[in-house]
Amino acid sequence: MAYRVKRSDKSVQAALRRIAVQEIDAGLAELDNPDMDLHDKVHQLRKRAKRLRGLLRLVRPAFPGYATENEAIRDAARRLSGLRDSEGMVETYDKLVAAAHLSGFARVRAHLVSLRDAAAARAHVEQDLAAFRAALLDLRGRAAKWRLTEDGFAAMQDGLEKAFARARKARAAAAEDPAVDRIHDWRKRVKDHWYHTRILAPLNPQVMDHRAQQARDLSEMLGDHHDLDVLDYYIARAADLPGDPALWAAFRGHIAARQNVLENEAQNLGARLFASPARDLGRRWARWWKHWKGA
């Protein structure tokens, strides 16, 4: 449970440094784990990068180095995106088949697996992992010296409220027009709030852990929606797909149906999760912080 504040942290700045270094060290350990499957490793490393960027967004207004460090983490993670995208289509297929109880599409999966394996064979895997490792080591050295201009909850409140407000705005935009880019943007904003809730969960564990689970569920719904769009985009534009075109057309129909289900479920949960204004949430969590620090 390293990805959260602790009473033993001497300051928010100390918590920022500790959490970042622990995430980086966990990523380095995964990089050096010879027993870890390559695709699992890449997936996990990209998650580490996202958690680090979410951490930085929490303190963004109080962190002068935000832009530089956020860009460094983003650029490092992009080196792993190609391999992850090809594996992601296989995972998306499996999730869709399980959720919709589909059968008769084994040929679709076989084709996606062949794409994934071909991508892995073409990728400069060792070079990309080595570059990612070097970036993490450089980041670790800097993270130990990060400085904030504020302390206490003031170091986090503006970042927390801005991220929450952006998530509320993105939800409304997706409700008005559920275009793929709007749903994808909403997902990114939801993930920020999920990370912030996880980091601050000790303030009110019973309430916050439940909220973090809801935010995670919502993020996964929206992530599944986006992944389905990536898969559909590939199918729609791929040349020389194997088998009967009707098979692929039917599969695309199942993709669209599943996306509709996910949109409805996400809006129902999102309307509850983002009901209150950002300022109200910030003030409520500030009170919890004060009580927690004084306990």
Side-chain angles (χ1 to χ4, degrees):
M1 306 298 285
Y3 194 71
R4 55 181 56 197
V5 294
K6 296 180 179 180
R7 283 201 182 92
S8 58
D9 291 322
K10 294 182 180 180
S11 63
V12 173
Q13 179 176 278
L16 170 70
R17 294 174 176 179
R18 173 185 59 79
I19 295 170
V21 168
Q22 288 175 336
E23 282 294 314
I24 292 167
D25 286 347
L28 290 170
E30 289 158 353
L31 267 168
D32 296 336
N33 184 352
D35 298 324
M36 197 170 188
D37 175 79
L38 173 62
H39 298 290
D40 290 342
K41 182 176 294 191
V42 169
H43 179 54
Q44 195 63 28
L45 292 172
R46 283 170 56 79
K47 285 171 62 177
R48 297 287 178 196
K50 290 175 182 177
R51 282 198 285 263
L52 285 166
R53 295 179 72 191
L55 171 66
L56 295 186
R57 289 192 183 102
L58 179 60
V59 296
R60 180 176 183 174
F63 182 35
Y66 169 81
T68 299
E69 300 296 16
N70 181 63
E71 183 178 349
I73 299 166
R74 181 201 65 199
D75 290 348
R78 279 180 175 171
R79 298 201 60 148
L80 307 178
S81 62
L83 189 60
R84 175 59 198 160
D85 289 345
S86 59
E87 169 66 13
M89 288 201 294
V90 177
E91 292 180 0
T92 300
Y93 169 92
D94 290 342
K95 281 187 177 182
L96 174 60
V97 167
H101 307 289
L102 303 181
S103 61
F105 293 99
R107 191 159 191 176
V108 173
R109 190 181 195 280
H111 177 68
L112 297 176
V113 169
S114 70
L115 288 177
R116 178 198 65 190
D117 294 344
R122 290 193 307 269
H124 301 93
V125 176
E126 295 303 323
Q127 297 95 314
D128 288 341
L129 290 178
F132 189 84
R133 192 180 198 284
L136 282 187
L137 287 172
D138 288 346
L139 181 67
R140 193 186 194 284
R142 298 193 302 272
K145 302 174 184 177
W146 283 344
R147 293 189 177 278
L148 300 179
T149 59
E150 300 275 359
D151 194 18
F153 200 74
M156 301 178 288
Q157 187 164 357
D158 283 350
L160 171 71
E161 291 180 6
K162 286 179 180 178
F164 188 79
R166 291 178 74 187
R168 293 185 85 226
K169 184 177 180 180
R171 187 203 71 79
E176 179 182 342
D177 177 13
V180 171
D181 58 339
R182 291 192 174 193
I183 291 177
H184 184 47
D185 182 62
W186 183 24
R187 185 223 182 179
K188 290 187 289 186
R189 307 287 76 83
V190 168
K191 287 182 78 70
D192 284 339
H193 181 63
W194 172 34
Y195 295 142
H196 297 169
T197 307
R198 289 177 60 188
I199 292 167
L200 296 172
L203 276 56
N204 191 337
Q206 185 173 358
V207 173
M208 298 284 268
D209 285 344
H210 177 65
R211 185 177 189 88
Q213 183 60 56
Q214 287 184 310
R216 178 180 180 175
D217 291 344
L218 179 55
S219 175
E220 289 185 352
M221 290 176 197
L222 298 173
D224 288 349
H225 187 284
H226 173 70
D227 292 343
L228 286 166
D229 184 68
V230 171
L231 178 54
D232 186 65
Y233 184 89
Y234 164 74
I235 295 172
R237 287 155 183 78
D240 302 323
L241 290 170
D244 187 347
L247 177 75
W248 292 92
F251 191 73
R252 291 188 68 197
H254 289 298
I255 288 176
R258 180 60 182 162
Q259 286 183 306
N260 287 334
V261 171
L262 290 169
E263 287 171 23
N264 291 331
E265 291 180 351
Q267 281 295 344
N268 287 336
L269 177 55
R272 300 193 302 272
L273 196 61
F274 298 103
S276 64
R279 192 62 175 164
D280 290 352
L281 178 130
R283 288 171 175 166
R284 183 164 62 252
W285 290 21
R287 291 194 298 271
W288 292 347
W289 171 271
K290 184 177 181 180
H291 176 77
W292 178 69
K293 292 299 285 185

